Amino acid sequence: MTVHLKQDAPDERNVLDFTGQSVIGEPLSRPEGLLKVTGTATYAAEYEVDGCCEGVLVTLPVVRGEVTAIDEASVLSMPGVIAVLSDERMTGRPAQGMAGEAPFQPAKDVCYWGQPVALVVAETFEQARDAAKHVAMDWRSEQAPLDPAAVETEESESTRQGDLAHAMAEAAHSVDVVFTTEGHASAAMEPHAALAQWEDGKLTVHASLQMLKFNRAELADSIGLEEEQVRLLSPYVGGGFGSKLGVSQEVVAASLAAMHLGRPVRVVMSRQQVFQTVERRSETHQRIRLAADAEGRLTGFGHEARVSNLPGESFAEPVLQSSHFLYAGENRLLRLEVARIHRMTAGSVRAPGEAVGVQTVEQAMDMLAEKVGIDPVELRLRNIPDKHPANGKPFSSRKLAEALREGATAFGWEPRPRTPRHTREGEWWIGTGMASAARVHSVVEAKARVTLRPGGTALVETDMTDIGTGSYAILGQVAGEMLGLVPDDIEVRLGDTDLPPGSGSGGSVGAASCGSAVFLACQGLRKELAERLGIAPESLTLKDGFARWSGGQKALTELLNQEPIECTGHFEPGASTEDMAVSSFGAFFAEVAVNRWTGETRVRRMTGAFGFGRVLNARTARSQCLGGLTWCIGNALTESLLFDPVDGHLVNCDLAEYHVPVNRDVPDLEVLLLEERDAAASPIQAKGVGELGLCGGAAAIANAIHDACGARVFAYPMTPDRVLAAMPET
Amino acid sequence: MAISINGQDYPLPEDPRTSLLDFIRRDARLPGTKKGCDHGQCGACTVLVGGVRINSCLSLAVTHDGDEVTTIEGLGTLAAPSAMQSAFVAHDGFQCGYCTPGQICSATAMLQELAAGWPSDATADLEAAPNLTDDEIRERMSGNLCRCGAYANILAAIRDVAGESA
Ligand code: FES
Ligand code: FES
């Protein structure tokens, strides 16, 4: 049985509020938690497979060139070496998220420093690693553009409305500022890994990937197989943050090697290779213009950005994504340009677009509040638009004002115009700052199968992944709520392309998309049960393993009568998310201490208030927000990819030099989950939360730095040297 | 010539290039210990050697002849998790779970270091016994990266086990 829904209209029934089991939204522990804490959850590289050999990627240290010859004999005599693979089908870049087709081939056509060009396979990892360093190759290399500021750009997106220049000239108050942000790495803790087996014309790959149905298509297309011949397994993924959206180079290389050798092959990237070859968030150069009347009401809004990517890549960091609708202003200019340069592929890193686009707008808003002389929270409240300022669509639901107000109260925000340097503790200036949060909502097609087993338990199956996001927990909770079962009676199987294709994890689409697929499947099961009882589905209550209706009650096991019933839910996005502006919103508040002498910033506490539709599990949702706030700290203060301007290599390609926040960088964090039902967002009224917590928060820190010490820093990350340089004398 | 891991002896590897981490993950078939960087930069590979935490990727297996190694599998099991393991579940001290075995090994040893009076950068008075403050815990856990950003919950889990509040 299948239940299909293309959601063309908002669903205001809020079915999950009336089902009665009361597990939806509850802060339950992750069902897979014990596996993870005992080291028994198995990640891609950890499967025990007989006869498995080990592959290590060989990379080329030039930004542009071509491998002309690979001398296999140079390493074949080394102990344990089995083969040197330089197949034309090896991929030089990762696939972009949801590409569904082969990424750039052949790998020997080198477009960035450190591109993989070959694979050495040996009996052991140590042998393969050694041999990979000794492969003799001939190549030709050439110069290539490396500096995004020094090349002609291509326009990627442009929207004009009214006359921004005129609005700026007429404005009572205006801000016109340029910000820069540097590149970011996803830096998921599990390095990219694949273990490929080729048997009887079928390829099975354990890999660390986020979006399996797309990845399967990408892998099949890369090596020339039918999708049906490929099975991908990723039940546990050690973080993704965008870097595992598309099939990456080691997956294709391991697959080709396994097919070539007729033996299982494992390829794990080194941490350096992950940094150098997978993908980066583009650096950005952004100009923000704000024009306002005497009360701070926006009359003009301008956001122009330059990002970069390799030639041939369609992805452009969508910096303007939320600028289209976050604030009012009838005169608008939004423009995005792409510079073609030779750094590794630019792609999605957690919250592509907003992670760097909102924090610049939010610093500019802080500057405007200072000019107008009002509380920065009040400035935001005055500029919440009635409808989408560009296309006039209504907002489906929006908790921005509530987030600003409730966040301010929880934080203890003082509603006053800001005057820097009001508090000092020894050599530390103390200040507070705030920012709004916004992240567009989207859903994608997803299927899930739910089986009611004769014993009265349920099985949920989809190829959806759980990359730490809580999919195991929330999908079980949706099913439990719909079927009247306690979560312990529900088994959730994920991460296997033999299961119905879900959405995958990326762009915060997973919970709403796959949750809706599970919801639909359960609706089908409820209908079947109601039919068996001869009642209308609406009259049926399922709770604690019993079916109840006005006329009586019956145990689920009895209704099932020794036979399982199953239903596949098939969710497709429709007009409901097109007819309205659908987005998650929130607000950030931060307190910082800035050292008077060194310019070092320590974040002392943060509060985030977020509205993202229905909360499916308050614990895992909160954890997502905590993760987002943690990323705000790295984004604001430490994270930047640094490229050598001469030879183009990534200088800080490891975790010692690329500084993700560590435990001591993260202070007390407070998260407010604002309950909301967004009927247009999905049939379960949920939106995405995985990225929202990162969309704008760095500006709360930037604004707090200004409030503390008077330094207005226009370059992210705000490292001590930059803060010190911007700090006013005395 | 053997390394004892969780009470069981494993013969030293033939290849002297084998790190203790690869030895544990591959030769001893205990993949609970994770490899995040292989360069001593992330803490995912943290294990206890003679009760003291180390980054196992930074150590060659052949240098551990006769050592007693404890890995995440040795701290507790699915049927009988350790208090620290249970607290990580209860406080959602992880998301993807990849840094988690390292965090738990590290936290387990860290509390013993604190109890033994070892100072840290967060210790105000080097003469006195360190207090179990949040900052002490954060500082001492800063060698274990968590990109999912579970630090706040990791702190709560450790506090819970330590059973004190500052
Ligand atoms: S793997 Fe040993 S510290 Fe990262
Ligand atoms: S739980 Fe994912 S890195 Fe810590």
Side-chain angles (χ1 to χ4, degrees):
Chain A
M1 162 176 39
T2 300
V3 173
H4 172 250
L5 173 76
K6 187 166 191 284
Q7 195 185 3
D8 285 323
D11 184 340
E12 282 162 1
R13 296 172 301 155
N14 296 332
V15 170
L16 292 170
D17 289 328
F18 304 104
T19 30
Q21 186 63 30
S22 303
V23 291
I24 200 71
E26 287 299 297
L28 305 179
S29 294
R30 294 166 201 261
E32 83 287 10
L34 211 47
L35 294 174
K36 286 177 173 173
V37 299
T38 52
T40 42
T42 309
Y43 297 80
E46 299 169 349
Y47 287 84
E48 263 192 57
V49 177
D50 284 342
C52 187
C53 38
E54 308 287 333
V56 169
L57 290 165
V58 181
T59 62
L60 204 67
V62 300
V63 285
R64 184 85 183 101
E66 189 184 3
V67 177
T68 51
I70 293 186
D71 180 8
E72 298 180 11
S74 62
V75 295
L76 279 178
S77 59
M78 289 177 73
V81 176
I82 301 166
V84 179
L85 197 85
S86 55
D87 193 290
E88 288 285 314
R89 294 168 291 177
M90 280 180 67
T91 45
R93 305 177 191 175
Q96 293 286 353
M98 301 200 263
E101 59 184 28
F104 183 87
Q105 294 166 303
K108 69 176 182 186
D109 183 356
V110 174
C111 295
Y112 59 90
W113 201 100
Q115 183 173 317
V117 294
L119 182 79
V120 172
V121 184
E123 295 294 343
T124 72
F125 168 64
E126 290 79 8
Q127 292 164 341
R129 183 181 57 188
D130 193 10
K133 290 201 165 70
H134 290 93
V135 178
M137 292 184 286
D138 289 331
W139 68 81
R140 50 167 196 76
S141 67
E142 57 193 74
Q143 298 285 313
L146 300 172
D147 179 1
V151 295
E152 292 272 317
T153 54
E154 297 164 13
E155 188 168 88
S156 160
E157 175 191 345
S158 173
T159 322
R160 268 167 210 279
Q161 199 178 314
D163 184 345
L164 178 62
H166 185 71
M168 290 291 288
E170 299 287 302
H173 302 286
S174 66
V175 172
D176 183 352
V177 275
V178 170
F179 293 94
T180 57
T181 69
E182 288 179 37
H184 297 154
S186 295
M189 289 305 299
E190 181 201 16
H192 292 56
L195 197 174
Q197 292 165 270
W198 174 248
E199 261 165 34
D200 305 327
K202 182 145 188 189
L203 181 67
T204 304
V205 189
H206 291 276
S208 189
L209 293 165
Q210 295 179 227
M211 307 192 97
L212 295 192
K213 80 176 167 198
F214 300 100
N215 304 138
R216 177 157 89 147
E218 288 148 10
L219 179 58
D221 190 30
S222 297
I223 55 187
L225 293 174
E226 297 297 324
E227 280 189 47
E228 293 66 38
Q229 292 175 275
V230 177
R231 181 182 182 194
L232 285 174
L233 293 130
S234 304
Y236 296 102
V237 179
F241 314 112
S243 71
K244 297 167 181 172
L245 287 180
V247 86
S248 41
Q249 297 94 322
E250 88 292 356
V251 181
V252 177
S255 301
L256 288 167
M259 291 168 71
H260 178 70
L261 297 172
R263 281 182 67 177
V265 177
R266 170 172 27 230
V267 181
V268 183
M269 283 197 192
S270 69
R271 175 54 61 187
Q272 289 72 13
Q273 289 175 338
V274 173
F275 269 94
Q276 288 164 344
T277 75
V278 182
E279 47 132 53
R280 62 185 170 100
R281 187 200 306 284
S282 172
E283 71 297 320
T284 72
H285 178 278
Q286 305 179 43
R287 181 184 185 191
I288 308 287
R289 278 182 283 179
L290 302 175
D293 67 14
E295 279 78 47
R297 290 196 173 76
L298 288 169
T299 54
F301 184 99
H303 194 169
E304 294 157 272
R306 186 196 68 222
V307 300
S308 71
N309 208 340
L310 279 165
E313 293 294 325
S314 57
F315 179 87
E317 179 78 19
V319 177
L320 314 176
Q321 208 154 242
S322 283
S323 287
H324 287 289
F325 59 80
L326 179 56
Y327 295 126
E330 53 276 22
N331 300 288
R332 306 179 79 80
L333 171 62
L334 289 92
R335 189 162 58 202
L336 182 66
E337 297 185 346
V338 190
R340 297 290 167 197
I341 58 164
H342 289 257
R343 292 178 179 171
M344 78 290 284
T345 317
S348 297
V349 174
R350 196 174 191 177
E354 283 92 335
V356 284
V358 178
Q359 67 202 33
T360 53
V361 171
E362 289 301 308
Q363 256 212 82
M365 286 293 279
D366 203 60
M367 297 172 71
L368 183 63
E370 199 181 3
K371 288 196 171 178
V372 180
I374 60 172
D375 173 23
V377 172
E378 176 58 27
L379 180 73
R380 269 79 173 180
L381 290 170
R382 280 183 198 175
N383 284 292
I384 298 177
D386 297 335
K387 48 190 175 30
H388 191 296
N391 58 31
K393 290 178 185 174
F395 286 95
S396 56
S397 122
R398 180 176 43 176
K399 288 280 179 189
L400 179 53
E402 293 86 340
L404 288 163
R405 291 197 179 99
E406 292 177 32
T409 305
F411 181 81
W413 177 261
E414 288 176 42
R416 57 171 170 80
R418 318 306 277 176
T419 328
R421 296 194 165 193
H422 47 77
T423 308
R424 209 167 122 170
E425 291 177 11
E427 60 192 44
W428 298 89
W429 291 112
I430 314 299
T432 55
M434 55 76 55
S436 297
R439 172 74 181 159
V440 290
H441 167 73
S442 52
V443 272
V444 301
E445 184 176 9
K447 290 184 185 171
R449 180 170 57 228
V450 181
T451 307
L452 264 175
R453 291 155 156 170
T457 63
L459 172 66
V460 176
E461 297 171 296
T462 157
D463 82 354
M464 175 62 179
T465 49
D466 187 328
I467 60 173
T469 37
S471 311
Y472 283 106
I474 59 144
L475 297 182
Q477 280 170 272
V478 172
E481 190 60 51
M482 288 295 285
L483 300 175
L485 296 174
V486 295
D488 280 354
D489 284 339
I490 295 167
E491 182 188 347
V492 180
R493 277 193 206 145
L494 303 177
D496 179 349
T497 53
D498 277 358
L499 304 177
S503 58
S505 305
S508 300
V509 305
S513 306
C514 288
S516 294
V518 170
F519 173 80
L520 294 172
C522 293
Q523 274 194 329
L525 295 173
R526 290 176 65 96
K527 185 155 172 280
E528 168 67 24
L529 294 173
E531 269 166 24
R532 289 184 184 188
L533 290 166
I535 58 172
E538 304 77 60
S539 326
L540 173 68
T541 301
L542 294 174
K543 190 163 162 34
D544 299 330
F546 282 87
R548 297 198 175 101
W549 66 100
S550 55
Q553 74 168 35
K554 204 167 196 177
L556 206 50
T557 43
E558 209 180 315
L559 259 175
L560 289 167
N561 196 23
Q562 313 291 332
E563 290 287 327
I565 46 174
E566 71 169 47
C567 180
T568 298
H570 179 189
F571 169 73
E572 272 189 284
S576 79
T577 44
E578 285 159 22
D579 295 346
M580 295 198 193
V582 188
S583 175
S584 300
F585 293 92
F588 301 96
F589 297 83
E591 178 183 315
V592 304
V594 182
N595 190 285
R596 169 69 187 91
W597 306 112
T598 66
E600 180 189 4
T601 302
R602 303 299 300 170
V603 180
R604 306 224 299 190
R605 62 191 179 100
M606 279 184 91
T607 296
F610 305 107
F612 46 91
R614 182 191 298 279
V615 176
L616 301 172
N617 176 318
R619 179 184 308 239
T620 56
R622 176 173 176 272
S623 289
Q624 288 283 301
C625 297
L626 290 173
L629 292 170
T630 302
W631 277 58
C632 289
I633 296 170
N635 184 347
L637 300 178
T638 57
E639 292 187 39
S640 77
L641 294 174
L642 301 168
F643 294 88
D644 185 303
V646 178
D647 73 5
H649 81 278
L650 174 63
V651 178
N652 52 346
C653 61
D654 62 26
L655 294 167
E657 302 297 330
Y658 181 86
H659 296 147
V660 307
V662 303
N663 203 317
R664 204 178 176 194
D665 294 326
V666 180
D668 290 343
L669 304 175
E670 180 184 26
V671 173
L672 273 59
L673 306 177
L674 307 174
E675 271 293 352
E676 180 186 22
R677 301 283 178 267
D678 193 324
S682 62
I684 55 175
Q685 296 82 33
K687 296 186 273 203
V689 61
E691 296 167 311
L692 179 64
L694 167 62
C695 300
I701 296 169
N703 296 335
I705 289 175
H706 179 255
D707 183 53
C709 70
R712 181 59 77 185
V713 187
F714 297 100
Y716 290 96
M718 298 170 289
T719 46
D721 53 322
R722 287 173 170 165
V723 173
L724 208 53
M727 210 185 284
E729 288 296 318
T730 68
Chain B
M1 301 285 276
I3 305 176
S4 163
I5 305 178
N6 306 329
Q8 193 179 324
D9 277 355
Y10 297 86
L12 290 183
E14 279 169 30
D15 193 329
R17 297 170 295 188
T18 304
S19 68
L20 179 59
L21 172 59
D22 286 327
F23 182 77
I24 292 167
R25 275 169 70 79
R26 180 190 57 205
D27 301 355
R29 302 183 167 184
L30 294 167
T33 305
K34 304 304 181 198
K35 184 189 284 191
C37 71
D38 224 6
H39 278 57
Q41 302 168 344
C42 75
C45 64
T46 305
V47 297
L48 313 184
V49 176
V52 175
R53 54 182 172 160
I54 68 161
N55 288 337
S56 59
C57 69
L58 284 185
S59 195
L60 293 170
V62 290
T63 65
H64 289 281
D65 184 20
D67 279 352
E68 302 265 347
V69 177
T70 306
T71 69
I72 188 73
E73 292 92 343
L75 289 181
T77 61
L78 284 176
S82 74
M84 190 66 80
Q85 288 169 321
S86 300
F88 267 65
V89 176
H91 292 274
D92 213 30
F94 56 90
Q95 294 174 35
C96 76
Y98 199 77
C99 73
T100 314
Q103 301 277 2
I104 291 172
C105 285
S106 198
T108 302
M110 182 272 294
L111 287 180
Q112 289 164 14
E113 292 163 15
L114 236 160
W118 297 14
S120 83
D121 179 65
T123 312
D125 180 359
L126 294 180
E127 302 293 320
N131 294 319
L132 187 75
T133 62
D134 285 353
D135 261 2
E136 280 284 5
I137 296 175
R138 287 182 178 121
E139 167 62 25
R140 289 162 192 264
M141 289 302 294
S142 283
N144 291 83
L145 304 184
C146 175
R147 188 52 158 167
C148 292
Y151 297 128
N153 290 347
I154 290 170
L155 175 69
I158 296 173
R159 271 228 159 280
D160 194 356
V161 174
E164 283 182 52
S165 65

